[in-house]
PDB file of all heavy atoms in Angstrom:
ATOM      1  N   GLU H  35     -18.850 -22.579  76.634  1.00 90.00           N
ATOM      2  CA  GLU H  35     -18.784 -21.710  75.421  1.00 90.00           C
ATOM      3  C   GLU H  35     -19.563 -22.228  74.306  1.00 90.00           C
ATOM      4  O   GLU H  35     -19.668 -21.628  73.243  1.00 90.00           O
ATOM      5  CB  GLU H  35     -17.261 -21.618  75.021  1.00 90.00           C
ATOM      6  CG  GLU H  35     -16.302 -21.132  76.063  1.00 90.00           C
ATOM      7  CD  GLU H  35     -16.510 -19.665  76.354  1.00 90.00           C
ATOM      8  OE1 GLU H  35     -16.975 -18.889  75.390  1.00 90.00           O
ATOM      9  OE2 GLU H  35     -16.265 -19.157  77.459  1.00 90.00           O
ATOM     10  N   ASP H  72     -28.920 -24.644  57.853  1.00 92.00           N
ATOM     11  CA  ASP H  72     -29.971 -23.910  58.553  1.00 92.00           C
ATOM     12  C   ASP H  72     -29.530 -23.351  59.913  1.00 92.00           C
ATOM     13  O   ASP H  72     -30.255 -22.611  60.568  1.00 92.00           O
ATOM     14  CB  ASP H  72     -31.180 -24.850  58.818  1.00 92.00           C
ATOM     15  CG  ASP H  72     -31.873 -25.207  57.505  1.00 92.00           C
ATOM     16  OD1 ASP H  72     -31.678 -24.461  56.544  1.00 92.00           O
ATOM     17  OD2 ASP H  72     -32.545 -26.265  57.496  1.00 92.00           O
ATOM     18  N   TYR H 182     -11.842 -42.202  69.688  1.00 96.00           N
ATOM     19  CA  TYR H 182     -11.814 -42.871  70.918  1.00 96.00           C
ATOM     20  C   TYR H 182     -12.404 -44.271  70.704  1.00 96.00           C
ATOM     21  O   TYR H 182     -13.477 -44.409  70.141  1.00 96.00           O
ATOM     22  CB  TYR H 182     -12.520 -42.142  72.021  1.00 96.00           C
ATOM     23  CG  TYR H 182     -11.839 -40.839  72.442  1.00 96.00           C
ATOM     24  CD1 TYR H 182     -12.262 -39.670  71.939  1.00 96.00           C
ATOM     25  CD2 TYR H 182     -10.768 -40.848  73.312  1.00 96.00           C
ATOM     26  CE1 TYR H 182     -11.658 -38.421  72.291  1.00 96.00           C
ATOM     27  CE2 TYR H 182     -10.150 -39.713  73.662  1.00 96.00           C
ATOM     28  CZ  TYR H 182     -10.593 -38.424  73.188  1.00 96.00           C
ATOM     29  OH  TYR H 182      -9.937 -37.293  73.550  1.00 96.00           O
ATOM     30  N   GLY H 266      31.058 -34.820  58.217  1.00 88.00           N
ATOM     31  CA  GLY H 266      30.838 -35.228  59.528  1.00 88.00           C
ATOM     32  C   GLY H 266      32.034 -36.078  59.997  1.00 88.00           C
ATOM     33  O   GLY H 266      32.959 -36.295  59.184  1.00 88.00           O
ATOM     34  N   SER H 314      12.517 -43.103  46.692  1.00 87.00           N
ATOM     35  CA  SER H 314      11.925 -44.455  46.721  1.00 87.00           C
ATOM     36  C   SER H 314      12.299 -45.259  45.529  1.00 87.00           C
ATOM     37  O   SER H 314      12.726 -46.466  45.629  1.00 87.00           O
ATOM     38  CB  SER H 314      10.395 -44.333  46.801  1.00 87.00           C
ATOM     39  OG  SER H 314       9.812 -45.607  46.736  1.00 87.00           O
ATOM     40  N   LEU H 343       2.958 -55.903  53.905  1.00 95.00           N
ATOM     41  CA  LEU H 343       1.640 -55.362  53.922  1.00 95.00           C
ATOM     42  C   LEU H 343       0.567 -56.423  54.085  1.00 95.00           C
ATOM     43  O   LEU H 343      -0.401 -56.240  54.841  1.00 95.00           O
ATOM     44  CB  LEU H 343       1.368 -54.564  52.658  1.00 95.00           C
ATOM     45  CG  LEU H 343       1.922 -53.114  52.589  1.00 95.00           C
ATOM     46  CD1 LEU H 343       1.853 -52.575  51.203  1.00 95.00           C
ATOM     47  CD2 LEU H 343       1.073 -52.216  53.519  1.00 95.00           C
ATOM     48  N   THR H 386      -5.547 -36.004  41.944  1.00 68.00           N
ATOM     49  CA  THR H 386      -4.509 -35.119  41.501  1.00 68.00           C
ATOM     50  C   THR H 386      -3.232 -35.852  41.602  1.00 68.00           C
ATOM     51  O   THR H 386      -3.112 -36.954  42.086  1.00 68.00           O
ATOM     52  CB  THR H 386      -4.423 -33.870  42.410  1.00 68.00           C
ATOM     53  OG1 THR H 386      -3.882 -34.211  43.734  1.00 68.00           O
ATOM     54  CG2 THR H 386      -5.822 -33.234  42.660  1.00 68.00           C
ATOM     55  N   ASN H 392       1.210 -34.598  56.926  1.00 85.00           N
ATOM     56  CA  ASN H 392       0.806 -34.163  58.261  1.00 85.00           C
ATOM     57  C   ASN H 392       2.081 -34.160  59.118  1.00 85.00           C
ATOM     58  O   ASN H 392       2.780 -35.126  59.182  1.00 85.00           O
ATOM     59  CB  ASN H 392      -0.176 -35.172  58.834  1.00 85.00           C
ATOM     60  CG  ASN H 392      -0.664 -34.769  60.206  1.00 85.00           C
ATOM     61  OD1 ASN H 392      -0.175 -33.822  60.798  1.00 85.00           O
ATOM     62  ND2 ASN H 392      -1.669 -35.476  60.643  1.00 85.00           N
TER      63      ASN H 392
END
Side-chain angles (χ1 to χ4, degrees):
E35 302 289 332
D72 292 339
Y182 291 98
S314 176
L343 277 167
T386 74
N392 183 351

